[in-house]
Amino acid sequence: MHNMTKKVTISFDDKTIELPLIVGSEGERAIDISSLRAKTGLITLDSGYANTASCLSSITFIDGEKSILNYRGYPIKMLAEGYDFISIAWLLIFGELPTTEERSSFRKILTKEELLHENLLHHFKAFPDYGHPMAMLSAVVNSMGCYDQTLLEAGHPKDFLLSASIIISKIRTIAACTYRKSMGLPLNYPNPAHSYSANFLHMMFSLPHKEHVPNPDAVKALDLFFLLHADHEQNCSCSTVRMVGSSNASIFASVSAGISALWGPLHGGANAAVIEMLESIQNGEHTIDELLELVKQKKKKLMGFGHRVYKNIDPRANLLKTAAENLLEKLKIADPLLDIAMELYEKATKDSYCIEKNLHPNVDFYSGIVLRALNIPVNMFPVMFAIGRTPGWIAHWHEGQLNDKKIQRPRQVYVGETLRSL
Ligand code: ACO
């Protein structure tokens, strides 16, 4: 998979050393600096890890210049058109699309694991109604680890499928509970007759006197939303999961940490920030032109634009744009925010600042429109992202357990006070 025969020569002071050049299966080249300090006394400094690969990985490939996103070698568009979220979860975690039998037995385990332990449900009584759903989600996912001590060990292959299934299935139940809690509504039990995504909508919206019958178009759009968020290689939350897992912390603790990392507005919180930005235009706080001017003056960020890896359009953004348009049409919803988003897209992509900085819409630019059409409130947006991202976190946690032999522990360049006396 990677070729280490080539070397890179580095000269420093009067020393010249050779370091191995690693070549990935898609041709990406990396200098293996693991022996740099031993050979020269030097370390590297790379703020935000923008030029640092933290691991070798076989799960997801992104070429940000060419708008390519492949899960296990398959283009995202192909997968989005032919498969559902559960099959993609299997693909990410186990490396191959499931056979009919594997798909059906995976579905059975997920259904079996969809209920929360009754004691776990009591956690929701103790949270304040105004508590943020992401805080509850992270806390309850971590607490799940208390209910089966055997699953707390690092990467045991026999129990791995069970641990993965427990998290993928129950995170949807927990997520719906966080919403019900914040609305002062009774918590709903899952209904095994529903598909993964329909079951989530049932748990969100069914009332004691009125069962919510999920609309098939809504279910399809939600499943696509989850699928498109399922993995995105070594982003902030994924790297967090791998880092926590590198200390041999359990899969529950690691995924819980990933949820916390996802919460921030520069990562999973961005889709909510996009809606706030579009609303600020809708309520007349500023026009699109004024917003773009503020962006140029660095007084505001254009939320839902820009990406560390994509310097071209995010392929997920295109798929979600189409999904948003179809869903609004099917559900006969006229959302003025979509019109504002389209106008902003037109103006921003022709704007000299955005062109110069290579700012294109990312997945979050349209995802909020889809979630609004599904009646998901804005404070639940990062929770929705977390449900979708869970298979990716699990796949990376597992890959890390199998391949990463060292605890992750970066160095630093100390710039504080030198030794001083009191
Ligand atoms: N609006 C305005 N300017 C931007 C934006 C933006 N959205 N994104 C980048 N820039 C500018 C930066 O100010 C910087 O300008 P400079 O060269 O004058 O210093 C330049 O473009 C390079 O940007 P960086 O911040 O170095 O890019 P980085 O890779 O660190 O950040 C990030 C990526 C965090 C996604 C950034 O583009 C951003 O904040 N976007 C808005 C938030 C957002 O949409 N996040 C979702 C990301 S996708 C996801 O998590 C699913």
Side-chain angles (χ1 to χ4, degrees):
M1 199 59 89
H2 54 276
N3 168 353
M4 290 178 60
T5 52
K6 283 194 183 163
K7 304 272 183 208
V8 169
T9 307
I10 293 185
S11 297
F12 173 71
D13 285 346
D14 53 354
K15 247 191 198 154
T16 296
I17 59 154
E18 283 193 331
L19 295 172
L21 186 77
I22 312 271
V23 185
S25 53
E26 290 280 359
E28 191 155 46
R29 294 179 301 170
I31 306 169
D32 177 353
I33 58 154
S34 47
S35 62
L36 180 68
R37 187 165 176 272
K39 285 178 175 166
T40 64
L42 293 173
I43 57 170
T44 54
L45 174 65
D46 182 15
S47 172
Y49 309 117
N51 295 288
T52 297
S54 59
C55 59
L56 300 176
S57 182
S58 320
I59 300 169
T60 288
F61 172 69
I62 302 174
D63 183 329
E65 272 74 31
K66 295 187 185 144
S67 284
I68 292 173
L69 168 61
N70 298 342
Y71 291 165
R72 298 281 188 185
Y74 297 112
I76 189 72
K77 188 167 186 290
M78 195 185 277
L79 295 173
E81 284 166 358
Y83 295 89
D84 65 0
F85 175 60
I86 290 309
S87 302
I88 296 315
W90 183 276
L91 169 71
L92 286 168
I93 296 170
F94 298 109
E96 296 296 339
L97 283 160
T99 60
T100 313
E101 294 73 35
E102 284 167 340
R103 168 79 178 63
S104 138
S105 74
F106 188 35
R107 169 102 168 83
K108 274 191 196 132
I109 307 176
L110 293 175
T111 301
K112 184 164 170 280
E113 293 301 334
E114 66 192 8
L115 280 168
L116 299 186
H117 192 292
E118 283 295 311
N119 290 349
L120 208 48
L121 284 178
H122 293 314
H123 286 236
F124 289 95
K125 285 211 174 94
F127 289 125
D129 287 349
Y130 50 84
H132 197 287
M134 283 296 266
M136 292 187 236
L137 188 74
S138 173
V140 179
V141 166
N142 207 354
S143 307
M144 276 199 296
C146 306
Y147 289 85
D148 193 337
Q149 296 296 319
T150 59
L151 301 179
L152 288 181
E153 293 159 19
H156 190 287
K158 179 176 161 285
D159 290 340
F160 172 65
L161 173 60
L162 179 60
S163 323
S165 307
I166 286 176
I167 298 178
I168 292 172
S169 187
K170 290 192 202 311
I171 195 168
R172 156 192 67 155
T173 314
I174 298 167
C177 289
T178 68
Y179 167 74
R180 304 288 295 190
K181 168 74 187 178
S182 68
M183 299 300 286
L185 291 166
L187 307 183
N188 275 329
Y189 288 99
N191 178 347
H194 285 309
S195 70
Y196 185 90
S197 297
N199 211 349
F200 175 73
L201 292 175
H202 146 70
M203 286 188 276
M204 286 285 285
F205 301 122
S206 282
L207 295 171
H209 60 282
K210 195 167 179 245
E211 177 81 12
H212 174 79
V213 182
N215 175 302
D217 293 312
V219 173
K220 195 172 156 209
L222 179 61
D223 206 77
L224 177 73
F225 171 92
F226 287 149
L227 183 155
L228 293 178
H229 285 80
D231 192 41
H232 215 234
E233 50 116 310
Q234 313 305 323
N235 51 73
C236 179
S237 57
C238 171
S239 302
T240 300
V241 170
R242 281 186 94 124
M243 179 171 270
V244 174
S246 80
S247 74
N248 282 353
S250 78
I251 191 167
F252 299 96
S254 306
V255 170
S256 166
I259 293 168
S260 298
L262 185 74
W263 190 352
L266 296 186
H267 191 11
N271 49 16
V274 170
I275 295 297
E276 280 160 23
M277 178 185 73
L278 297 176
E279 281 173 345
S280 74
I281 298 167
Q282 186 187 32
N283 65 29
E285 214 174 289
H286 38 240
T287 62
I288 291 178
D289 292 330
E290 284 163 354
L291 173 67
L292 290 173
E293 199 46 48
L294 291 169
V295 168
K296 260 178 228 166
Q297 292 167 11
K298 304 266 185 203
K299 289 184 181 153
K300 284 219 178 270
K301 268 197 161 181
L302 203 51
M303 301 313 286
F305 272 72
H307 201 276
R308 171 62 58 81
V309 180
Y310 292 116
K311 300 304 167 197
N312 203 327
I313 189 142
D314 178 339
R316 301 167 302 170
N318 275 341
L319 292 161
L320 270 179
K321 176 174 182 260
T322 312
E325 288 166 343
N326 288 344
L327 185 64
L328 294 184
E329 195 190 319
K330 291 258 172 60
L331 300 186
K332 302 197 186 341
I333 298 173
D335 188 345
L337 289 197
L338 181 62
D339 300 332
I340 296 172
M342 297 302 187
E343 200 183 331
L344 176 58
Y345 167 82
E346 288 301 327
K347 290 197 165 164
T349 46
K350 292 188 183 89
D351 184 271
S352 57
Y353 175 88
C354 296
I355 293 170
E356 183 202 329
K357 303 284 179 200
N358 256 329
L359 298 182
H360 300 269
N362 59 49
V363 68
D364 292 312
F365 191 61
Y366 296 106
S367 64
I369 307 275
V370 171
L371 294 178
R372 268 164 65 91
L374 298 173
N375 284 324
I376 308 288
V378 169
N379 67 347
M380 284 289 289
F381 284 11
V383 170
M384 305 302 292
F385 191 153
I387 302 174
R389 184 54 57 88
T390 297
W393 288 331
I394 291 171
H396 282 277
W397 182 86
H398 194 224
E399 189 179 66
Q401 299 300 308
L402 295 176
N403 300 345
D404 301 346
K405 299 295 174 224
K406 280 192 169 167
I407 188 167
Q408 291 195 24
R409 202 296 185 193
R411 287 188 174 268
Q412 63 168 14
V413 178
Y414 178 69
V415 293
E417 297 290 346
T418 52
L419 185 64
R420 51 182 176 165
S421 48
L422 288 168

